Amino acid sequence: MNKQHVLIIGYVWVEPNSSAAGSRMMQLIEQFLKQNWKITFASPAQKSEKATSLSSLGIDEVSIELNSSSFDDFIKNLQPTIVMFDRFMMEEQFGWRVAENYPNALRILDTEDLHFLRKTRQNQFKKGEKHTTEALLDSNDTKREIASILRCDLSLIISTYEMDLLKSVFKVDENLLCYLPFLLDKIEKNKVEKWNSFEERNHFIFIGNFFHKPNVDAVLTLKKHIWIRIRKQLPKAEIHIYGSYANQQINQLHNKNEGFIIKGFAEDANKVVKNAKVVLAPLNFGAGIKGKLTEAMICGTPSVTTNIGAEGMHNNLPWNGFVEDDFNSFSEKAIQLYTDENLWKKSQQKGIEIINQIYDKEKISDPFINKIINVQDNLKYHRTHNFLGNLLQHQTVQATKFMSKWIEEKNKS
């Protein structure tokens, strides 16, 4: 096979210090670079000052337009062997153009997490409803994202829960899916020896990108329901809230007298998590793998989270702290972890086991690359047997394509 050329179509430019999605994208890029594959990263988004410089890694960075036939010429000239869409919205916009103008390219969807799952849960939570499968089946977001998964040759699925959901509820063929959690370094003994001890650490911490609605809600939950209980027992403790893109709603929660401190963007997230004693993440809705919780494990910082927070992240291994949905229990377990050194150390060890058994990139990366190459080698057969994907590529059901063409014509006039 000739050298691979991967075109990544990014929903946003890569910001690994701002979000788990940014870290995830860098992990994938690193795997492709390790194979010595050429990479072009293209995005229609505006670049922020927090975006990392991909060109410094030898990656071509290209701005592309939505609803423009200029992309057709771009991909014909580029002739990539693989096109990877960052989230289903990019597949909707550009997938049909790739299929029409350069059909030989393997089309991969990096879901990041299942957006329809997160959004449906968010809507049900806002209405005070219990999460149901029926609501997922009824959602237009579900239909859009599942259609996108079916149209692609391979979709990267980040959690075991989401893999099971796609196979059991939505009957997606396993051949179209690739389970790929975060690709992380193993936690070796020499790393553990450098961690701050129980006595050297202070305070609770929450960290997360505030463009992400589950994070905003989690901080409001901490403020309204949890922190008051913890502070009553631990009057000198503080909780430090870190995250990029904090809005006024978050910033106005800052209260030094209550020990509720809004810190804003962390230049070095690892450092602040390593100095903290316990991570708190009371997530009421969400999906995928939570970067703040794998980061806690990597930094040797036990955590308390909810069932949504821990979902699909630790298989059958014990959590590195506690998983509690009840606010009273959540607060009590947080206090226990903060004050009991023996319990804290045992929880720390559990985090090491989770990372080393589930997220070790040395174990995961070869099967991932092999899966890509295997699908490429059998692409005609693979596509022929993906009947529903073929059906959705058929022009009579391609509303997004014709909407895009209409917008393009409208923009010209």
Side-chain angles (χ1 to χ4, degrees), residues 37-206:
W37 293 355
K38 180 171 171 52
I39 303 172
T40 300
F41 191 98
S43 178
Q46 290 282 5
K47 223 179 208 183
S48 87
E49 72 277 0
K50 293 190 178 82
T52 198
S53 168
L54 296 176
S55 55
S56 65
L57 300 170
I59 295 166
D60 292 337
E61 296 182 88
V62 181
S63 283
I64 51 175
E65 282 183 69
L66 296 170
N67 307 307
S68 170
S69 56
S70 61
F71 180 85
D72 304 349
D73 297 328
F74 166 69
I75 196 160
K76 281 178 194 166
N77 291 329
L78 197 71
Q79 298 193 351
T81 53
I82 298 168
V83 177
M84 187 171 83
F85 305 101
D86 169 26
R87 294 165 250 208
F88 80 92
M89 298 80 91
M90 291 297 95
E91 189 281 333
E92 282 185 336
Q93 285 287 342
F94 296 101
W96 64 270
R97 290 187 184 276
V98 174
E100 269 189 15
N101 293 288
Y102 202 69
N104 293 340
L106 181 78
R107 297 188 297 274
I108 298 176
L109 173 62
D110 180 31
T111 55
E112 299 285 356
D113 61 22
L114 292 178
H115 288 57
F116 71 80
L117 179 62
R118 176 159 39 83
K119 282 184 81 173
T120 305
R121 281 176 168 170
Q122 182 182 337
N123 290 337
Q124 289 194 281
F125 178 76
K126 273 165 70 179
K127 292 176 189 171
E129 297 173 356
K130 199 173 182 321
H131 174 63
T132 61
T133 301
E134 282 67 30
L136 291 177
L137 290 164
D138 200 39
S139 159
N140 285 334
D141 289 311
T142 303
K143 296 176 181 86
R144 286 174 60 195
E145 193 163 7
I146 295 290
S148 185
I149 287 169
L150 291 171
R151 283 192 297 264
C152 287
D153 300 311
L154 199 59
S155 290
L156 310 182
I157 310 300
I158 208 160
S159 84
T160 52
Y161 177 86
E162 294 183 0
M163 278 292 284
D164 292 343
L165 182 72
L166 289 170
K167 288 190 288 183
S168 63
V169 174
F170 298 100
K171 314 299 182 200
V172 177
D173 185 343
E174 197 166 3
N175 291 321
L176 299 176
L177 306 175
C178 176
Y179 168 58
L180 192 73
F182 286 162
L183 298 138
L184 304 174
D185 290 323
K186 202 171 176 187
I187 302 174
E188 304 285 2
K189 198 175 175 208
N190 63 334
K191 275 189 192 167
V192 177
E193 285 164 356
K194 289 175 187 165
W195 284 345
N196 287 350
S197 67
F198 179 81
E199 295 83 8
E200 289 170 324
R201 294 173 182 242
N202 284 302
H203 308 310
F204 294 90
I205 190 173
F206 175 91

Side-chain angles (χ1 to χ4, degrees), residues 305-318:
T305 189
T306 55
N307 277 292
I308 288 282
E311 178 185 84
M313 284 191 63
H314 59 116
N315 298 350
N316 294 318
L317 296 171

Side-chain angles (χ1 to χ4, degrees), residues 265-326:
F265 179 67
E267 290 293 339
D268 186 344
N270 258 13
K271 188 178 175 185
V272 297
V273 178
K274 276 178 181 166
N275 288 330
K277 200 169 265 187
V278 178
V279 167
L280 300 181
L283 295 156
N284 292 308
F285 54 88
I289 288 175
K290 321 308 180 295
K292 62 179 69 55
L293 295 173
T294 50
E295 188 166 49
M297 297 176 204
I298 290 164
C299 295
T301 312
S303 66
V304 187
T305 189
T306 55
N307 277 292
I308 288 282
E311 178 185 84
M313 284 191 63
H314 59 116
N315 298 350
N316 294 318
L317 296 171
W319 191 250
N320 75 318
F322 295 100
V323 179
E324 296 286 349
D325 288 335
D326 176 76

Side-chain angles (χ1 to χ4, degrees), residues 21-38:
S23 300
R24 160 68 159 194
M25 183 55 74
M26 280 310 298
Q27 291 162 14
L28 294 173
I29 285 170
E30 281 163 18
Q31 288 307 313
F32 298 148
L33 289 174
K34 195 174 144 195
Q35 301 300 316
N36 204 24
W37 293 355
K38 180 171 171 52

